[in-house]
Amino acid sequence: MSKLEDLIDNFWNTHKNNAGVAYLYGHKLSIAWVLCVIIAIILGVIYQGKIATFQGIAEATETTISLPSPTEVVKIHVMPGQSIQPGDTIVELNRPDLTLRIAELTRELDASEGRSNLSAADIDQKVAAVKADLATKTLTLKSEINRLETEYKKNKEIASKLKSLQGSNANSDGNDAMTMQIKNLKNELAVANANANEQIKLLRSSNRLQKDAGKSEAANLKKELEELQKQQGELVQIAKENWVVGSVNVHDGEKVSSFAPIITLTHKSPTLVRGYIHERMYQRMDIGETVKVKTLSGTGKPVKGKVVGLSSRIVEFPVRMWKMPEMPIHGREVIITIPAENPFLLGEMVTISE
């Protein structure tokens, strides 16, 4: 206010002979207040909806070890706060139901392969029997046909020598009957071959169908067995990257229900900040906006962060951010990612500014 009054005094000394200026000088305090209000309104319009700073908590990405089925804890190899490296064993678990199911599938797979082999041998045996029957019938028919053809040939030779019988119808009728009999036997032989081939074809087709069905059944059993064996391999949890053990929620020998958290792991350095804006303040902030994150003391170089999440509802602030223990504070949650290389500690409160 003193600077504003000095400006007014200088203005008065320069224009003291002006009557209008003299009038204004007499009301310099009122003018000063009016100018302050005008400046406040202008700044409010320019920075409408903006908040200079708000607070948050530095956190890191977490992962939870749990299984979708009831589990028994065999041995825990870590403790809270311990740093682990890739290849370190975290926990050994056991699922008795998994072991039992793997044994059942192994038996079913062996039985399926055995049934397939047995069916193939049975069909091969039936094919061999059809071929044997055909061979026997073929031999009998051909033998009868050869006998009749030989007899027919002899009759023709006798008939040709006995010229006196050339005009006789008896011999002609006999030969015709024998010719018809030979023809019938040959037709019977052709039908037997055709029937046998059709039976063999059907048997072999059935064999292929049974083999395909057996292969499909075996493939399904193998697929399920591989999945269960994969799950069994995951019962021994091995670290795949650097972690810090956050919490251990079970003990050796304890039985754990489905999806119950067994161990939580977190990264050593914070990778995100969970900020909170008071519900009475309007925050015009968008996803993708860049902010500065620094310690509460304000020392050190600020770290650039990026807004990646804005809650669509009002939530309760963490207790440590309450002004008074008996008066909870509510506001909007903002998720900000920060580089892994930063000076913050896990769980440290920080200040966020635009």
Side-chain angles (χ1 to χ4, degrees):
M1 290 296 290
S2 59
K3 290 184 178 181
L4 186 58
E5 291 176 352
D6 290 341
L7 288 174
I8 295 174
D9 288 336
N10 291 333
F11 182 77
W12 161 250
N13 292 329
T14 305
H15 304 280
K16 58 184 177 178
N17 294 325
N18 190 309
V21 173
Y23 174 78
L24 292 175
Y25 180 74
H27 298 80
K28 61 179 183 179
L29 187 59
S30 299
I31 294 172
W33 278 108
V34 171
L35 289 175
C36 288
V37 172
I38 293 173
I39 293 172
I41 292 173
I42 293 173
L43 291 175
V45 171
I46 294 175
Y47 296 99
Q48 181 183 3
K50 289 293 183 179
I51 297 175
T53 61
F54 57 98
Q55 292 181 336
I57 298 175
E59 299 179 357
T61 304
E62 281 191 350
T63 184
T64 301
I65 297 177
S66 62
L67 292 180
S69 301
T71 309
E72 181 182 357
V73 180
V74 178
K75 183 174 180 58
I76 297 172
H77 293 263
V78 295
M79 60 181 64
Q82 178 181 344
S83 297
I84 56 178
Q85 299 177 346
D88 291 347
T89 301
I90 302 173
V91 62
E92 295 179 38
L93 305 171
N94 181 41
R95 282 181 54 190
D97 64 310
L98 195 60
T99 304
L100 181 62
R101 182 55 182 160
I102 288 175
E104 291 176 352
L105 285 175
T106 303
R107 288 196 299 270
E108 289 179 13
L109 187 59
D110 292 339
S112 176
E113 292 176 350
R115 286 194 300 270
S116 179
N117 294 332
L118 182 61
S119 299
D122 186 45
I123 289 175
D124 290 341
Q125 185 177 3
K126 290 180 179 180
V127 169
V130 171
K131 288 182 176 180
D133 291 341
L134 177 62
T136 302
K137 194 167 188 177
T138 299
L139 183 62
T140 301
L141 291 174
K142 283 186 175 181
S143 176
E144 182 65 16
I145 290 171
N146 289 335
R147 186 186 68 76
L148 290 175
E149 287 179 341
T150 302
E151 186 177 349
Y152 176 76
K153 186 176 180 181
K154 288 180 179 179
N155 288 341
K156 283 190 70 176
E157 291 177 353
I158 294 172
S160 62
K161 292 179 180 180
L162 298 176
K163 295 181 180 180
S164 58
L165 298 177
Q166 287 180 357
S168 174
N169 293 330
N171 189 44
S172 177
D173 292 340
N175 288 339
D176 290 341
M178 191 174 294
T179 302
M180 184 63 67
Q181 190 175 2
I182 292 172
K183 185 177 179 180
N184 290 337
L185 289 173
K186 288 182 177 180
N187 288 337
E188 185 178 351
L189 179 60
V191 171
N193 277 286
N195 290 338
N197 291 333
E198 187 65 25
Q199 289 183 36
I200 292 172
K201 182 179 178 181
L202 290 173
L203 287 171
R204 286 177 175 169
S205 176
S206 175
N207 188 21
R208 285 194 296 270
L209 290 174
Q210 288 186 5
K211 283 183 177 179
D212 291 342
K215 287 180 180 179
S216 178
E217 181 184 5
N220 292 334
L221 291 174
K222 286 180 180 178
K223 186 176 179 180
E224 184 179 356
L225 182 60
E226 290 174 357
E227 178 62 27
L228 293 180
Q229 288 174 341
K230 180 182 176 182
Q231 294 180 20
Q232 191 177 45
E234 293 174 351
L235 292 177
V236 179
Q237 291 285 326
I238 306 295
K240 297 180 175 59
E241 55 182 298
N242 293 320
W243 292 101
V244 174
V245 179
S247 63
V248 178
N249 305 313
V250 295
H251 304 283
D252 292 351
E254 184 177 344
K255 290 180 171 55
V256 184
S257 59
S258 304
F259 297 105
I262 299 172
I263 294 175
T264 58
L265 304 174
T266 182
H267 285 113
K268 190 172 184 179
S269 299
T271 54
L272 62 89
V273 173
R274 197 178 300 274
Y276 297 89
I277 303 171
H278 198 283
E279 63 180 337
R280 292 182 181 177
M281 300 180 182
Y282 173 71
Q283 176 65 20
R284 193 169 61 203
M285 180 173 286
D286 299 319
I287 292 179
E289 186 173 341
T290 301
V291 296
K292 293 180 180 179
V293 183
K294 56 184 178 181
T295 60
L296 286 180
S297 62
T299 58
K301 187 178 180 181
V303 175
K304 285 187 177 181
K306 183 179 181 182
V307 178
V308 295
L310 293 169
S311 65
S312 58
R313 62 189 182 93
I314 298 298
V315 299
E316 186 177 285
F317 281 28
V319 176
R320 60 189 292 196
M321 297 179 71
W322 296 2
K323 300 299 181 182
M324 290 184 286
E326 66 278 3
M327 293 183 64
I329 306 175
H330 297 78
R332 190 179 189 189
E333 191 177 67
V334 182
I335 305 299
I336 301 164
T337 58
I338 56 176
E341 301 295 330
N342 61 74
F344 307 125
L345 300 175
L346 284 174
E348 179 182 359
M349 284 187 63
V350 294
T351 300
I352 306 157
S353 60
E354 295 177 305

